[in-house]
Amino acid sequence: MTDMAIRIASMNKYYGEFHALKNINLEVAKGQKVVICGPSGSGKSTLIRCINRLEEHRSGIIEVNGIELNDNVDNIDEIRREAGMVFQNFNLFPHMTVLENCTLAPILARKIDRAEAEATGMQYLERVKIPEQAHKYPGELSGGQQQRVAIARALCMAPEIMLFDEPTSALDPEMISEVLDVMVGLAKDGMTMVCVTHEMGFARQVADRVIFMADGEIIEQAAPGDFFDNPQNERTKAFLSQIVGH
Amino acid sequence: MAHADQNIGSLQPSALMHIKQRYFATRFDTVITLICAALAAWVLWGLINWALLDATFGANRGDVCREDLHGGACWSVVATRWRIVLFGLYPFEEQWRSAIACLVMVFVAVLSCVPWFWSAKRLPILWIAGFAIFYVLMRGGWFGLVEVTEQNWGGLSLTIFIFAAVSLLGMPLAIIFALLRRSKLPWIARTMALVIDTIRSLPLLSIMFTFAIVLPFVLPGWAIGDKLYRVIVGYALFFACYQAEIIRGGMQALPAGQEEAAQALGLGYWHRIGYIILPQAFRNALPPTINQFVITFKETSLVTIIGFFDVMASGRAASGTADWNFATIEMYVFVALIFFVFVFSLSRYGAYLERRLGVGRR
């Protein structure tokens, strides 16, 4: 086994003719927390969506926990079970209760029996502080609550890596902190995390490394202290001044 | 001030006020209202006279009807010949089987309204079991029941049989078509689209004809089967093509994030389809699906053309003898009533489902 949770080497991704990701090299060690930021259209979402094959890369290598991501469907399913994902728009299943959302994949994909899956589900719902909503439908919950359910749902699969794709961007401002609190808690427990986010406070607090992307390339990566206080690249400086300016 | 008073008045009108405002507001409104009311009363009175007051009830009173000078309805034809409408040419002593078989299917339909049965496992089991009981009862040959071949089936029980068989065969086919139509492999998706569009652009009647009459010349002997089943297969294919597009529409209405979330959780293709995509697609597609069932039930009457006596043709036959040939309208009214009971309850059930499934939706 390797100590690398994620290894991406010379990876390229195209949408038709459009070169969306250019020669991406990225390694994330187990337990590391990486924050990816950059202007919109820079390819950050595409990058983490390539890690669990929601997008298909054209060339290069992607390995998750030493499993290579290729056309082998078993590998893809295995990687998806190892890497939980939280989306910008929550994507909870509206026709199932909160608890059913949490137990569906463990029961079907991990073949865990229902009672055990429900116990685990309740445990994670408690961890994200909404066990009392277990039997409600997602449509009855606020955005912040839905996103916390989405995190619990991903955790129920006992993933080794969590991918966050702008988890707070669709939330009303007053709900952002309740989601970030859960994410900080996860980070403290040693989860390997890759987060696409513009929450720079969160990046400073938990990230081991901040990655700046623009036009499909990784422009700069550094520890948060260096990244924020002493950015090297002009584009990083311009981006940071815009974010801080707000 | 006066304006404000008027507003309050219009917000909570007494029943009389309400009628006055709506129907007698101006002189012109009053005239229109009176004319319409008179027309309605006249039609209703005529109808009541014909259907009830001047009508002849009771079995075997055809002679009374003939000499009846008032021209009222002759319900005697229904009282005398209803068995033909319900059972067609089914042997008289065995008609209780046909009756029970129909009741079983109605019971299955009622049971499928119970939420407990709404699962991908229970609903198909219920329908297949109900259909099997129906078939064994109708066909006989087992359990000491006298065999009655399909040639002798008819009336309402044949209509129910065709409808249930087409739905049972057509629905899984429709799901398969819809999934193939959405396939990531372009040649599969395009071929399926071509098949669906081709069958949809043919009249149902010509498809039934082809399957009943033409197919036996083309197929090898062992694959021909009874004419009834060939027609059912043809009809099911037709149903599946329409229903597949309805299901596909329901799928396309889903946000892409639903499938992605299921993928990200490591759910395989069939789990995603069975637990995430189809349940939501069916919910989205419920109104057109009910509509499709209504149309399918009513269009079973087309099998008349190929020589089957469904409820419609049986009705015509029942009043087609020399004794009763004056009472066709009464017979058609009776048949229409049967259709109405089935289709109207189907529609109401659909409306109930929509309300019920709306729970928990944003």
Side-chain angles (χ1 to χ4, degrees):
Chain A
M1 282 304 280
T2 160
D3 285 341
M4 279 302 153
I6 299 170
R7 189 172 80 86
I8 300 175
S10 334
M11 188 266 275
N12 286 282
K13 157 85 191 161
Y14 290 79
Y15 288 112
E17 291 292 298
F18 177 65
H19 200 168
L21 293 175
K22 299 166 188 161
N23 191 34
I24 300 290
N25 292 286
L26 176 68
E27 294 192 337
V28 181
K30 282 187 178 159
Q32 258 194 344
K33 291 99 185 101
V34 172
V35 164
I36 303 175
C37 61
S40 73
S42 59
K44 16 185 225 313
S45 286
T46 309
L47 172 58
I48 75 166
R49 286 161 62 86
C50 278
I51 296 173
N52 64 354
R53 218 3 120 87
L54 291 184
E55 305 285 351
E56 204 171 324
H57 61 284
R58 185 179 287 181
S59 64
I61 295 170
I62 298 178
E63 273 179 18
V64 179
N65 270 350
I67 308 165
E68 189 181 343
L69 188 58
N70 48 27
D71 288 333
N72 184 337
V73 179
D74 291 339
N75 278 9
I76 295 173
D77 282 345
E78 182 63 25
I79 285 173
R80 284 174 176 166
R81 287 192 283 264
E82 294 300 317
M85 188 175 226
V86 175
F87 298 86
Q88 181 175 358
N89 294 316
F90 329 135
N91 294 341
L92 294 177
F93 306 130
H95 59 304
M96 298 179 180
T97 65
V98 163
L99 187 59
E100 283 165 354
N101 265 277
C102 292
T103 56
L104 183 74
I107 292 171
L108 295 179
R110 286 243 194 257
K111 313 278 181 230
I112 291 169
D113 70 63
R114 178 173 298 275
E116 193 187 334
E118 281 179 357
T120 313
M122 285 310 296
Q123 184 192 325
Y124 281 113
L125 286 175
E126 258 159 54
R127 178 155 173 187
V128 300
K129 303 193 184 67
I130 34 175
E132 71 281 0
Q133 314 282 7
H135 298 290
K136 286 194 182 166
Y137 285 89
E140 301 171 88
L141 271 53
S142 73
Q145 290 174 323
Q146 290 194 49
Q147 193 60 299
R148 284 185 281 152
V149 172
I151 295 173
R153 176 175 73 176
L155 291 175
C156 281
M157 286 296 282
E160 305 218 351
I161 301 163
M162 285 287 283
L163 307 171
F164 291 86
D165 187 4
E166 305 206 29
T168 56
S169 300
L171 294 176
D172 292 333
E174 73 272 20
M175 292 173 183
I176 290 178
S177 65
E178 63 187 68
V179 171
L180 288 181
D181 285 348
V182 171
M183 290 168 65
V184 170
L186 259 184
K188 282 186 181 146
D189 290 349
M191 176 67 78
T192 310
M193 292 164 74
V194 179
C195 313
V196 172
T197 182
H198 293 137
E199 294 297 329
M200 292 303 137
F202 172 79
R204 260 182 201 279
Q205 191 181 346
V206 307
D208 296 305
R209 201 160 20 126
V210 181
I211 290 173
F212 176 72
M213 286 183 74
D215 296 331
E217 287 178 279
I218 293 181
I219 302 285
E220 185 167 353
Q221 44 180 320
D226 295 335
F227 183 83
F228 289 112
D229 302 332
N230 188 20
Q232 302 297 312
N233 190 290
E234 286 307 315
R235 302 187 66 169
T236 318
K237 288 177 191 166
F239 177 75
L240 284 176
S241 71
Q242 275 175 340
I243 291 221
V244 175
H246 278 286
Chain B
M1 207 44 213
H3 191 72
D5 281 348
Q6 228 174 14
N7 266 346
I8 292 166
S10 70
L11 278 176
Q12 293 171 316
S14 67
L16 216 62
M17 278 288 287
H18 180 85
I19 289 173
K20 198 182 164 198
Q21 275 179 358
R22 288 285 164 88
Y23 304 102
F24 298 96
T26 65
R27 210 171 282 171
F28 181 69
D29 284 1
T30 309
V31 171
I32 297 282
T33 301
L34 289 179
I35 290 176
C36 289
L39 261 175
W42 181 65
V43 169
L44 201 67
W45 179 241
L47 207 62
I48 291 173
N49 258 333
W50 178 79
L52 297 172
L53 301 181
D54 294 341
T56 314
F57 296 91
N60 300 317
R61 296 185 64 200
D63 341 339
V64 183
C65 289
R66 264 184 203 286
E67 286 150 27
D68 184 10
L69 298 177
H70 302 290
C74 181
W75 298 122
S76 185
V77 67
V78 176
T80 317
R81 317 260 300 167
W82 60 272
R83 277 171 176 268
I84 295 185
V85 178
L86 295 191
F87 309 121
L89 298 175
Y90 210 81
F92 186 86
E93 324 72 66
E94 304 292 332
Q95 281 175 1
W96 60 271
R97 279 160 48 184
S98 193
I100 294 179
C102 286
L103 285 178
V104 166
M105 278 327 274
V106 170
F107 187 59
V108 163
V110 171
L111 277 190
S112 28
C113 304
V114 179
W116 189 82
F117 282 101
W118 295 351
S119 82
K121 279 186 199 126
R122 286 174 194 150
L123 210 54
I125 290 174
L126 176 72
W127 274 86
I128 290 168
F131 192 74
I133 295 172
F134 181 95
Y135 183 78
V136 169
L137 272 170
M138 287 293 287
R139 174 77 202 238
W142 290 283
F143 311 117
L145 296 173
V146 182
E147 185 171 349
V148 181
T149 54
E150 285 81 354
Q151 279 81 14
N152 292 319
W153 296 10
L156 180 63
S157 31
L158 181 66
T159 296
I160 289 182
F161 177 75
I162 294 174
F163 175 68
V166 166
S167 311
L168 217 55
L169 207 63
M171 197 46 113
L173 212 56
I175 293 171
I176 294 169
F177 284 6
L179 294 179
L180 290 178
R181 178 82 174 73
R182 260 178 34 119
S183 165
K184 272 192 197 134
L185 301 174
W187 65 273
I188 291 185
R190 283 202 204 120
T191 311
M192 201 62 240
L194 188 68
V195 169
I196 288 176
D197 288 347
T198 306
I199 294 181
R200 284 201 307 168
S201 42
L202 297 171
L204 176 56
L205 204 54
S206 68
I207 290 177
M208 285 182 171
F209 251 120
T210 310
F211 274 75
I213 317 288
V214 183
L215 225 50
F217 295 112
V218 184
L219 288 179
W222 54 266
I224 291 178
D226 191 89
K227 187 165 79 168
L228 178 60
Y229 297 111
R230 289 202 305 275
V231 169
I232 285 174
V233 168
Y235 196 0
L237 207 61
F238 185 81
F239 171 86
C241 288
Y242 275 88
Q243 184 59 29
E245 288 294 280
I246 291 172
I247 296 172
R248 190 170 69 93
M251 287 177 177
Q252 273 175 341
L254 288 183
Q258 287 292 308
E259 176 132 35
E260 285 176 0
Q263 283 177 325
L265 283 167
L267 292 175
Y269 178 78
W270 290 110
H271 284 153
R272 297 201 296 273
I273 295 298
Y275 289 86
I276 308 300
I277 306 296
L278 279 184
Q280 296 190 69
F282 266 104
R283 191 186 287 208
N284 289 339
L286 197 61
T289 301
I290 296 286
N291 194 32
Q292 194 57 37
F293 276 124
V294 166
I295 293 172
T296 304
F297 187 81
K298 291 203 281 191
E299 289 193 340
T300 48
S301 296
L302 287 178
V303 298
T304 317
I305 310 286
I306 326 161
F308 289 111
F309 280 85
D310 76 312
V311 63
M312 187 79 175
S314 303
R316 209 176 311 135
S319 61
T321 58
D323 302 350
W324 295 103
N325 57 8
F326 57 89
T328 11
I329 295 177
E330 287 83 344
M331 215 62 222
Y332 276 129
V333 170
F334 179 55
V335 171
L337 219 70
I338 295 177
F339 271 100
F340 178 81
V341 167
F342 276 89
V343 173
F344 191 72
S345 15
L346 198 58
S347 307
R348 291 324 299 161
Y349 175 55
Y352 157 77
L353 267 188
E354 265 178 68
R355 276 199 307 279
R356 157 115 201 174
L357 292 181
V359 172
R361 267 211 120 174
R362 265 236 263 215

